[in-house]
Amino acid sequence: MRRQLGIMAIISLINLTVHAQGPALTRIHIFNATTPLGYILIKTTANDTNPIKIKTLTWATIQTTGDSLGFVVNDKSYFAHFEAGKQYYFVAQATYNSRIVFTEKSEREFLLSVHVNPTKGPDVYNMDKVSN
């Protein structure tokens, strides 16, 4: 009986250490509040041939295990650095001349913005580790 309990204890400890050493996911939440524009295309270095398409009044979550996320702008790569395991919240809004502006929000502001509008999502996109 002691032997069985000892084996079960060792197996559960090994299982805990395996889960504890997994990569920390960084989550970037984006809410598209640009009603007249239709959708936003975000090209990333992890998948530049298939951009992320965020429709109007849609919430998208980009998950990455890297410490940065590469964006492709005019065929050049630019990297935004993020802290591993942290969550970031952005709301995309249109200005008076139809330019898109991303504003970083707190979690409460983001969730209130999502809740007040008839929002779809979140659509989840997993990115490979591409860091710079």
Side-chain angles (χ1 to χ4, degrees):
M1 184 72 171
R2 285 184 179 178
R3 184 177 180 191
Q4 289 175 341
L5 287 175
I7 290 172
M8 289 176 57
I10 290 172
I11 289 173
S12 35
L13 285 174
I14 290 172
N15 193 21
L16 285 175
T17 56
V18 168
H19 286 294
Q21 292 177 357
L25 281 177
T26 302
R27 290 181 177 90
I28 300 128
H29 303 278
I30 301 172
F31 173 56
N32 182 0
T34 60
T35 48
L37 298 179
Y39 59 87
I40 298 171
L41 288 177
I42 299 176
K43 288 185 178 182
T44 62
T45 56
N47 194 1
D48 61 344
T49 58
N50 190 14
I52 297 171
K53 184 176 183 178
I54 306 173
K55 296 178 184 174
T56 298
L57 298 177
T58 302
W59 169 11
T61 300
I62 302 170
Q63 297 182 143
T64 181
T65 55
D67 60 350
S68 64
L69 183 63
F71 296 101
V72 179
V73 180
N74 297 329
D75 297 327
K76 292 182 183 177
S77 299
Y78 298 94
F79 289 87
H81 295 277
F82 298 102
E83 189 176 327
K86 193 173 175 187
Q87 296 196 46
Y88 296 89
Y89 301 91
F90 295 95
V91 174
Q93 297 171 322
T95 62
Y96 65 92
N97 57 359
S98 297
R99 290 190 176 248
I100 299 171
V101 175
F102 287 88
T103 307
E104 188 170 5
K105 301 287 185 179
S106 70
E107 181 181 9
R108 285 180 291 193
E109 288 175 313
F110 180 84
L111 290 175
L112 283 171
S113 298
V114 168
H115 179 70
V116 169
N117 296 296
T119 306
K120 298 175 194 131
D123 298 330
V124 179
Y125 299 92
N126 292 312
M127 299 289 125
D128 294 331
K129 184 177 180 180
V130 178
S131 58
N132 187 12

